[in-house]
Structures are given as C-alpha cells and as structure tokens.
C-alpha cells in the first residue's frame, strides 16, 4: 500500500458550481472531492501555506478525515482544484512543531513557526530530490500560517496550525489503532523542535515569497 499519493485534478471534472463565494465556495468544492469509502468523514478544514524544501511557500487547503490527510492545490481565481495529495493517517508517525531553521551559511531565512508532518520515518530524501526544486517525493509536508490569518477571528481559526497539529495527532492515533500497518510502529511522536530547511540560496524563493507568487491574489472580497 502507498502512504501518499499525488494526483493531478482536471478542472473539468468538477461539477457545475453555484455563483462563487470565493473561500466558502473553495471549501465546498474540496469537501465534495472527499471520497466517503476511501477517506471517511471530514473532521476539519484549514487554509495554510505549504513550505517546500527550497523555502517556497504555496497556498493550500487541507482536510483531515477519518482515514486521510488531504492537501489541495486550489485555484481561487478559476475556482477549481488543480491537485490532490492523499496521505493515509495510519502511516503518519511524527509531527514537529517549531520555528524554522536553516544551515549555518544559508542566505535564506523565514520568520514565524510551522508544522511538519512525517509519514515514513525510515525513508530519507535522496540527494537528487534535495537539490531538485521540483521534486515532490519527500516523505513529509511542512505548513505555516497563511497571510490572511490576522484579518479576523474566522480566518484566525481557519489558519490555526496549532489546532491543526492537535487534530491531526488525534486522528492519526485513531487510524493507527483501527488499521495498524504491519511492521510499522504504531502511534504518533509529537516533537517541539526547529523545522530544518536544508536550503542555502534561493533567489526564486525570495522573489516568489516576497511577491506572494504561491498565492491566488484575485479573490473578490478576500485579499491581503
């Protein structure tokens, strides 16, 4: 069995949607893509920024269900889901929470804190993957706060990575107990430690993050 799957999603496969309500419409769209038999019931939806191994941040909608962690790349301009990553909860073995850190001589930096979710403790990223900015075969995902979290209390709750971490731990432990993976230690280790990004230089990451290129900016009444 595969612990994580990354699937392209063609916008034409979405059912016709009602007049757009930007974020509310996006949440309805991604919830409609949850498969009852494969995923189970929805336990929560979050709007976060995913930080890749080159320090690029990209907007994501994230759902926790009975059986899976679903990460959606959603286009808020065209109102369509472009990609789904499905991670089995019973494979998740570690959750780290802390500030970001970089190698000693790195020119990069990132303020704030984040959450990193691991689902294969024994597999380390290959040398080729670490130096490939387009690699997506890492056995973990890293999230931080979305820029809209300070707009109001509604956004603060939707972007709360601490609550996300707690809900994910509880859901993963239930999945471990219900469907243990043979040969894999059960349970989820939660660590309070710096989140290390092994990147040294990144002009594209700097320009992209400064100009919010990983975000869909045109959202009607949602902006920042």
């Amino acid at each position: 069995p595969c612990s994580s799957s990354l699937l392209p999603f063609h916008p034409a496969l979405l059912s016709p949607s009602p007049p757009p309500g930007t974020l509310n419409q996006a949440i309805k769209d991604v919830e409609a893509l949850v498969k009852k038999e494969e995923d189970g019931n929805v336990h929560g939806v979050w709007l976060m920024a995913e930080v890749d191994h080159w320090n690029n941040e990209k907007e994501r909608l994230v759902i926790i269900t009975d059986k899976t962690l679903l990460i959606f790349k959603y286009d808020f301009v065209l109102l369509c889901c472009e990609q789904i990553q499905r991670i089995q909860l019973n494979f998740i073995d570690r959750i780290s929470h802390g500030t970001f850190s970089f190698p000693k001589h790195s020119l990069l930096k990132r303020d704030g804190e984040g959450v990193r979710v691991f689902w294969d403790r024994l597999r380390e990223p290959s040398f080729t993957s670490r130096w490939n900015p387009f690699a997506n075969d890492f056995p973990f995902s890293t999230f931080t706060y979305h820029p809209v979290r300070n707009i109001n209390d509604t956004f603060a709750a939707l972007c709360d990575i601490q609550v996300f971490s707690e809900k994910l731990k509880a859901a993963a432990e239930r999945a471990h107990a219900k469907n243990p993976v043979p040969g894999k230690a059960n349970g989820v280790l939660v660590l309070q430690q710096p989140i290390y990004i092994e990147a040294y230089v990144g002009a594209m990451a700097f320009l992209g993050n400064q100009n919010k290129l990983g975000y869909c900016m045109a959202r009607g009444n949602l902006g920042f």
Side-chain angles (χ1 to χ4, degrees), residues 206-218:
F206 175 79
L207 292 173
N209 295 340
Q210 286 292 107
N211 292 286
K212 304 298 182 189
L213 299 183
Y215 299 84
C216 294
M217 302 294 285

Side-chain angles (χ1 to χ4, degrees), residues 23-24 27 148-149 151-160:
L23 184 58
N24 288 336
I27 292 174
V148 300
R149 74 183 179 104
I151 290 180
N152 56 37
D153 291 342
T154 299
F155 282 113
L158 189 64
C159 303
D160 194 329

Side-chain angles (χ1 to χ4, degrees), residues 93-105:
D93 48 35
R94 222 178 344 151
I95 301 173
S96 292
H97 192 288
T99 56
F100 291 95
S101 69
F102 293 85
K104 183 177 180 180
H105 300 293

Side-chain angles (χ1 to χ4, degrees), residues 50-224:
E50 184 174 18
V51 183
D52 71 11
H53 60 297
W54 276 50
N55 197 39
N56 298 294
E57 60 183 63
K58 302 166 185 177
E59 188 171 51
R60 295 291 184 261
L61 281 167
V62 181
I63 290 180
I64 297 174
T65 70
D66 289 330
K67 302 176 184 178
T68 56
L69 173 66
L70 300 171
I71 303 172
F72 299 89
K73 179 182 178 183
Y74 189 89
D75 189 323
F76 284 91
V77 176
L78 299 178
L79 293 174
C80 64
C81 179
E82 297 181 339
Q83 183 177 281
I84 306 170
Q85 185 176 11
R86 179 175 273 106
I87 301 159
Q88 301 298 322
L89 290 182
N90 59 338
F91 277 81
I92 291 175
D93 48 35
R94 222 178 344 151
I95 301 173
S96 292
H97 192 288
T99 56
F100 291 95
S101 69
F102 293 85
K104 183 177 180 180
H105 300 293
S106 175
L107 300 178
L108 299 173
K109 66 177 183 178
R110 172 174 291 280
D111 296 327
E113 58 184 359
V115 170
R116 178 168 287 171
V117 182
F118 299 81
W119 54 84
D120 193 342
R121 189 177 301 178
L122 301 179
R123 180 166 66 90
E124 290 293 330
S126 67
F127 176 84
T128 304
S129 293
R130 288 199 301 269
W131 288 96
N132 178 3
F134 304 106
N136 56 22
D137 58 346
F138 284 73
F140 58 79
S141 286
T142 306
F143 302 99
T144 190
Y145 291 109
H146 192 286
V148 300
R149 74 183 179 104
N150 293 319
I151 290 180
N152 56 37
D153 291 342
T154 299
F155 282 113
L158 189 64
C159 303
D160 194 329
I161 61 173
Q162 182 64 49
V163 172
F164 165 75
S165 178
E166 294 169 358
K167 295 276 189 180
L168 180 61
K169 177 181 183 292
E173 288 183 336
R174 288 193 298 268
H176 276 277
K178 190 171 183 179
N179 187 24
V181 179
K184 188 177 178 68
N186 292 318
V188 181
L189 182 64
V190 177
L191 302 172
Q192 295 290 329
Q193 64 181 24
I195 295 175
Y196 185 66
I197 299 178
E198 191 179 5
Y200 293 85
V201 293
M204 292 304 297
F206 175 79
L207 292 173
N209 295 340
Q210 286 292 107
N211 292 286
K212 304 298 182 189
L213 299 183
Y215 299 84
C216 294
M217 302 294 285
R219 304 180 188 165
N221 59 355
L222 172 59
F224 53 90

